[in-house]
Amino acid sequence: MLANQLFLKPYLPFPKLTISPLTNKPFISLTTFSLNPTPHYSTTPLPYGPSLQKGTLPPHFPQQPLNDVVLNEESFTRVFNLSAIRVPSSDCSSLESRLRGHLLNWPRIRNVARVHGDEIDPDIAPLLGHKDGDEVQNDLVSLQRRIHGKSDSDGDVLSPVLYREKLAKTFNTRGFVKFRNLAKISRPNRNNKNKKDEKGSGIDKKRVGKKGFTAIEVIDDDEEDENLGNLVEGEEGFGRKKWKGSTRLLLLDEQYSGRCVEELPEAVKAVLKEYAEKSMTLTFELVRCRLTLFYDYWQMNEILEALLPEGVVVPSGFEIVGHIARLNLRDEHLPHKKLIAKVVLDKNKPKIQTVVNKIDSIHNEYRTMQLEVLAGNHSLVTTVIENGIRFQVDLATVYWNSRLATERQKLLSSFTRDDVVCDVFSGVGPLAISAARIVRRVFANDLNPYAVEYLERNIVLNKLDRKIKVFNMDGRRFIEAMYASDKAHSITQVVMNLPNDAAEFLDAFRGIYKDKPRDEECTLPMIHVYGFSKATDPEFDFHERIRIALLEVAVNVEMRRVRLVAPGKWMLCASFILPKSVAFAKTDDDNYK
């Protein structure tokens, strides 16, 4: 009787038995086959790994023309033919470590797969005894039903030991899922996403992976030729039905697909030969597999690249505001905006629940964006967490830019606990509220009444109402009012984040101390003003605008670039201490008097 059994497919004759010169044990030589195979080499080199261009559509999924409104997810199903080595599950781990360099190395896909229908504990397998064919299969099915509790539905009650083991496995964060003799007291099940009916799909294998985006099935010989299913079925120990216990599939690299044993690398054959010599019962089988990748597997850029016409740039980035993804699509993307939004929503769930597109530039005085909801729910009210602080935002009525979070953090790092900050254009308070946790006092102002409403709500939400005072005024009037009050001497930092027009408000600082003696000691504030520039030298251009607004040439400005908001358009931040000559300057009204 042949001790070491080696199953080799496809289309393999009975192997020859040889004697190892090292161990004097019989083993099956991997180099004694003469198959005269026809190599399957592609004349056109393809990139390594899975791709929508390299895979094939299943025969039951006819390719349909793309619709600019409805996304057909089934059209992104791809099938790949691979080869695998079927081994007992107990030996899978050690073999995987030895063959790792020759196994499948695709992203988000494990190179070890379960064989559907034989997931049985190796410790229980000996209890089944040595039975043949259908008798073993029936015992496996019966045992599986009892272990997994499927016998309760047909009157076959689980034994107390098996039921206790089953109950222990069902305990999770929701408690025990089911009690046999007690009322159900656990929480109701969450509404999971309904899986699409796969009837008629031709793929009845269970999906695997974190999101169920793959399916692996073994291609039986019966699918190709019924006469070649078990070439050596007459010999004891051979044939697919002779496996005892659970097995695993070691998926080989894609370059070995369709190859026979003689074409495998010498390193793989050496490892299998070594393991065959060590064990008298170790069994291998070279099988063909069909790996199916569904829509959920592919990344967003891969889906969009296949959807959009050739030559159209794939939109790669978007801004995330709470549960909202804000796109800024080009004109070439607008005919496909619904499809783009659907893909963005699908590939970023559950974090993203709404996808909107900016349809117009900011022209109104409240700095609000014109947005169009493309996918998901239509609520534009969301909660944003920045620097550990929660902000409630309504994108339909207020302005928010998450891309300035790093810039706000840089500004906050320059504040001290002795500072008093005056935020002229505060919005809903991303800077003012964050600064209130550092500085002594904050005065926040905005012209938009909706922004002020959310500013006050966010202040209470973060329990900082004792350190922030809110105003709803025009920026220039706010500056004049603050420096006309008794709070002027305490202000040390002034932030003016209104890039379109902030520099034009600097004239409000001229003559803020005109009624005080020039030799009197006073606090001159550090001003941080933001602006846009499309000039070749944006720093020089923005510096000139500051000088013109202050009517002062000698202004020592520290300039830095914040970010590139558009091709050739920079956002800059200029920081400078207000010149004394500007603070004590006489205004035109004084000269008129």
Side-chain angles (χ1 to χ4, degrees), residues 86-142:
R86 188 177 185 182
V87 298
S89 58
S90 58
D91 302 296
C92 176
S93 179
S94 57
L95 279 173
E96 180 194 5
S97 61
R98 295 287 301 275
L99 300 174
R100 189 175 299 275
H102 301 280
L103 297 181
L104 195 66
N105 187 26
W106 286 1
R108 304 181 301 283
I109 296 179
R110 293 192 59 190
N111 52 26
V112 178
R114 291 178 178 268
V115 180
H116 184 71
D118 69 349
E119 298 90 348
I120 180 172
D121 193 337
D123 297 333
I124 302 177
L127 300 177
L128 299 175
H130 297 280
K131 301 179 181 180
D132 295 329
D134 297 336
E135 191 175 355
V136 173
Q137 186 67 20
N138 293 336
D139 287 344
L140 284 173
V141 173
S142 177

Side-chain angles (χ1 to χ4, degrees), residues 224-434:
E224 302 292 337
D225 192 340
E226 296 181 358
N227 298 326
L228 297 175
N230 292 304
L231 293 176
V232 291
E233 191 169 356
E235 295 290 333
E236 184 178 357
F238 283 80
R240 289 180 57 83
K241 297 182 180 179
K242 299 302 180 181
W243 282 98
K244 294 181 176 64
S246 60
T247 60
R248 298 291 185 268
L249 295 176
L250 293 176
L251 302 179
L252 294 174
D253 192 86
E254 60 177 319
Q255 62 180 320
Y256 308 135
S257 175
R259 298 189 184 184
C260 66
V261 179
E262 283 189 340
E263 295 180 297
L264 293 178
E266 293 297 329
V268 176
K269 293 187 284 188
V271 171
L272 297 182
K273 185 186 302 183
E274 177 184 346
Y275 274 83
E277 294 176 4
K278 289 181 179 179
S279 174
M280 301 296 293
T281 59
L282 191 58
T283 307
F284 301 101
E285 184 181 8
L286 184 63
V287 298
R288 291 171 294 173
C289 298
R290 182 182 294 121
L291 174 63
T292 305
L293 302 181
F294 300 94
Y295 170 79
D296 293 335
Y297 172 81
W298 306 105
Q299 299 290 325
M300 183 183 70
N301 59 331
E302 295 174 310
I303 297 290
L304 292 178
E305 185 177 356
L307 278 176
L308 298 179
E310 185 177 357
V312 177
V313 179
V314 176
S316 57
F318 51 86
E319 182 182 356
I320 298 177
V321 183
H323 72 274
I324 302 172
R326 186 165 63 194
L327 308 177
N328 192 5
L329 299 178
R330 303 180 181 180
D331 293 339
E332 59 184 357
H333 298 145
L334 295 181
H336 316 284
K337 59 183 179 182
K338 295 289 185 180
L339 290 178
I340 296 175
K342 177 67 167 55
V343 174
V344 172
L345 185 66
D346 290 343
K347 297 304 175 181
N348 294 276
K349 284 183 178 179
K351 184 177 181 180
I352 299 299
Q353 301 177 16
T354 304
V355 181
V356 300
N357 180 41
K358 179 181 174 183
I359 59 177
D360 196 7
S361 301
I362 301 175
H363 298 299
N364 56 68
E365 59 181 356
Y366 291 160
R367 297 188 298 167
T368 57
M369 297 183 182
Q370 301 296 322
L371 302 176
E372 177 188 11
V373 179
L374 299 179
N377 64 61
H378 285 63
S379 175
L380 296 181
V381 179
T382 186
T383 300
V384 185
I385 299 178
E386 183 177 299
N387 298 327
I389 301 177
R390 290 180 298 167
F391 299 94
Q392 291 185 354
V393 180
D394 182 4
L395 294 185
T397 57
V398 302
Y399 176 83
W400 179 275
N401 193 336
S402 297
R403 295 174 178 173
L404 294 178
T406 304
E407 172 59 25
R408 288 190 280 264
Q409 191 61 36
K410 288 182 181 179
L411 204 57
L412 291 171
S413 62
S414 65
F415 295 164
T416 66
R417 63 179 183 177
D418 296 327
D419 281 328
V420 175
V421 178
C422 185
D423 193 351
V424 183
F425 312 104
S426 64
V428 298
L431 179 71
I433 296 177
S434 299

Side-chain angles (χ1 to χ4, degrees), residues 397-590:
T397 57
V398 302
Y399 176 83
W400 179 275
N401 193 336
S402 297
R403 295 174 178 173
L404 294 178
T406 304
E407 172 59 25
R408 288 190 280 264
Q409 191 61 36
K410 288 182 181 179
L411 204 57
L412 291 171
S413 62
S414 65
F415 295 164
T416 66
R417 63 179 183 177
D418 296 327
D419 281 328
V420 175
V421 178
C422 185
D423 193 351
V424 183
F425 312 104
S426 64
V428 298
L431 179 71
I433 296 177
S434 299
R437 303 174 67 182
I438 303 173
V439 303
R440 181 157 51 97
R441 186 74 170 167
V442 176
F443 300 104
N445 170 75
D446 201 275
L447 180 63
N448 186 354
Y450 300 104
V452 171
E453 178 184 350
Y454 276 95
L455 172 61
E456 294 175 340
R457 186 181 303 179
N458 293 329
I459 291 173
V460 175
L461 183 65
N462 293 281
K463 301 178 182 179
L464 293 169
D465 47 300
R466 294 186 177 181
K467 298 186 67 175
I468 304 178
K469 187 173 179 59
V470 180
F471 299 87
N472 181 205
M473 306 169 64
D474 174 74
R476 184 175 285 100
R477 182 185 171 193
F478 170 69
I479 295 172
E480 295 173 351
M482 290 300 300
Y483 280 95
S485 65
D486 55 355
K487 305 179 182 64
H489 66 282
S490 63
I491 299 175
T492 59
Q493 305 279 350
V494 178
V495 181
M496 305 176 69
N497 190 357
L498 186 67
N500 276 332
D501 308 309
E504 300 177 4
F505 287 82
L506 290 174
D507 60 351
F509 288 97
R510 286 190 59 82
I512 55 175
Y513 291 148
K514 61 183 179 181
D515 296 331
K516 296 181 179 181
R518 195 177 184 88
D519 55 351
E520 181 181 346
E521 293 186 2
C522 58
T523 303
L524 294 175
M526 170 71 77
I527 299 177
H528 309 273
V529 58
Y530 290 83
F532 293 135
S533 178
K534 295 183 179 180
T536 306
D537 188 350
E539 289 85 356
F540 178 81
D541 174 64
F542 192 40
H543 196 177
E544 284 298 309
R545 287 159 55 191
I546 294 174
R547 290 175 176 174
I548 294 173
L550 294 175
L551 298 179
E552 177 63 40
V553 177
V555 182
N556 188 14
V557 176
E558 180 183 349
M559 192 83 63
R560 58 185 172 85
R561 299 184 182 187
V562 177
R563 68 188 188 97
L564 188 67
V565 297
K569 183 178 181 180
W570 281 96
M571 179 180 181
L572 304 102
C573 176
S575 300
F576 61 93
I577 297 177
L578 185 67
K580 193 172 184 179
S581 58
V582 176
F584 288 93
K586 298 294 183 179
T587 61
D588 295 337
D589 293 339
D590 297 333

